[in-house]
């Protein structure tokens, strides 16, 4: 393992440990038992609807560990393209005071077709808005900068439909055994979060091989993380 891989592994491992300590329920660690995601709400997604491998992430935009995995998820998309469908589900944790409204901001952006742009903006600026007493106006500024209709976005932030979508994801996650973030489900099975990017890549490649897909990657370098 080179120095960069070692640093990445230590960083992810530390954040995964923190996420586990902060978990609000006492449920057992993930197993490879199949799980069912009950919500019928269309999730923000990347990749082909016909992909043989589906990676579902339950995330909290105020969660430092979730931010640490952003580059890994982006890298999986870059390496495997439409071979892997990536879906995001909201799971705002109660100890993060602005996590719920951040999820609602992302969902309001989803209503205008720009979920992933807001997803990256919220994680990029996580340190700026996490401790605000009310980041609503800041999120509206983000929406404007991303080219969204700010009037519609602001109205959607107060919409019961947007709030309900976030609540539906959270409830579905709890039913599936989610108790911390980020929490990943790969082809209907949950698993312990990988400590390194290479471990994550291997999980995806193994699942592609099982599904009969092409597991060849488009890049040879280790996926970057910040």
């Amino acid at each position: 393992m080179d120095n960069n891989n070692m640093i990445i592994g230590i960083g992810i491992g530390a954040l995964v440990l923190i996420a586990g300590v902060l978990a609000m329920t006492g449920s057992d660690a993930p197993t490879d038992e199949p799980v069912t995601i009950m919500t019928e709400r269309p999730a923000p997604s990347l990749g082909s609807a016909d992909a043989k491998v589906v990676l579902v992430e339950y995330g909290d935009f105020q969660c430092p560990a979730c931010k640490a995995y952003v580059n890994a998820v982006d890298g999986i998309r870059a390496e495997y393209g439409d071979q892997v469908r990536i879906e995001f589900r909201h799971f705002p944790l109660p100890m993060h005071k602005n996590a719920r409204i951040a999820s609602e901001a992302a969902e309001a952006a989803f209503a205008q077709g720009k979920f992933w742009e807001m997803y990256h903006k919220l994680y990029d600026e996580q340190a700026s808005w996490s401790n605000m007493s009310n980041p609503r106006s800041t999120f509206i500024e983000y929406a404007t900068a991303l080219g969204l209709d700010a009037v519609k976005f602001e109205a959607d932030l107060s919409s019961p439909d947007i709030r309900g979508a976030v609540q539906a994801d959270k409830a579905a996650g709890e039913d599936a055994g989610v108790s911390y973030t980020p929490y990943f489900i790969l082809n209907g099975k949950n698993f312990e979060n990988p400590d390194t990017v290479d471990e994550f890549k291997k999980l995806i490649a193994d699942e592609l091989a099982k599904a009969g897909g092409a597991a060849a990657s488009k890049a040879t370098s280790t996926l970057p993380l910040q």
Side-chain angles (χ1 to χ4, degrees):
M1 177 180 290
D2 61 28
N3 289 338
N4 288 337
N5 273 345
M6 184 176 296
I7 292 170
I8 288 168
I10 292 171
I12 295 181
L15 287 168
V16 169
L17 177 60
I18 291 170
V21 171
L22 291 177
M24 296 302 290
T25 72
S27 56
D28 295 335
T31 69
D32 60 0
E33 292 299 317
V35 296
T36 301
I37 301 172
M38 298 302 294
T39 181
E40 296 180 1
R41 184 185 79 82
S45 63
L46 296 167
S48 172
D50 299 323
K52 295 180 179 180
V53 174
V54 179
L55 178 67
V56 178
E57 177 188 359
Y58 278 90
D60 172 326
F61 288 104
Q62 197 175 336
C63 166
C66 293
K67 178 180 170 66
Y69 276 87
V70 168
N71 282 348
V73 174
D74 285 349
I76 288 168
R77 172 64 179 167
E79 291 219 2
Y80 299 111
D82 283 348
Q83 295 180 80
V84 179
R85 180 176 173 86
I86 299 170
E87 297 183 357
F88 184 90
R89 302 281 182 177
H90 302 284
F91 202 83
L93 295 169
M95 81 281 285
H96 293 149
K97 65 180 183 178
N98 289 328
R100 180 184 58 78
I101 191 173
S103 282
E104 291 168 359
E107 195 64 23
F110 182 39
Q112 296 190 47
K114 291 199 172 183
F115 172 84
W116 296 102
E117 290 86 345
M118 183 62 79
Y119 164 99
H120 284 102
K121 185 67 173 177
L122 290 169
Y123 281 128
D124 288 346
E125 302 294 337
Q126 187 184 77
S128 299
W129 58 262
S130 289
N131 293 317
M132 290 181 177
S133 58
N134 184 353
R136 181 184 180 88
S137 61
T138 297
F139 293 160
I140 295 170
E141 290 175 7
Y142 294 169
T144 301
L146 292 172
L148 279 73
D149 180 332
V151 174
K152 174 174 169 49
F153 180 86
E154 185 172 5
D156 283 344
L157 271 181
S158 302
S159 165
D161 290 340
I162 295 295
R163 187 174 303 112
V166 173
Q167 291 172 345
D169 275 1
K170 181 79 181 294
E174 290 169 347
D175 288 344
V178 179
S179 59
Y180 58 83
T181 58
Y183 191 103
F184 295 98
I185 298 173
L186 183 60
N187 273 7
K189 294 181 179 180
N190 49 23
F191 58 93
E192 294 281 1
N193 287 351
D195 289 332
T196 69
V197 176
D198 284 342
E199 288 177 16
F200 212 146
K201 289 168 65 176
K202 186 176 186 306
L203 285 169
I204 299 293
D206 288 349
E207 201 64 28
L208 278 168
K210 288 182 200 174
S217 125
K218 294 189 287 185
T220 57
S221 60
T222 299
L223 301 183
L225 279 176
Q226 293 180 358

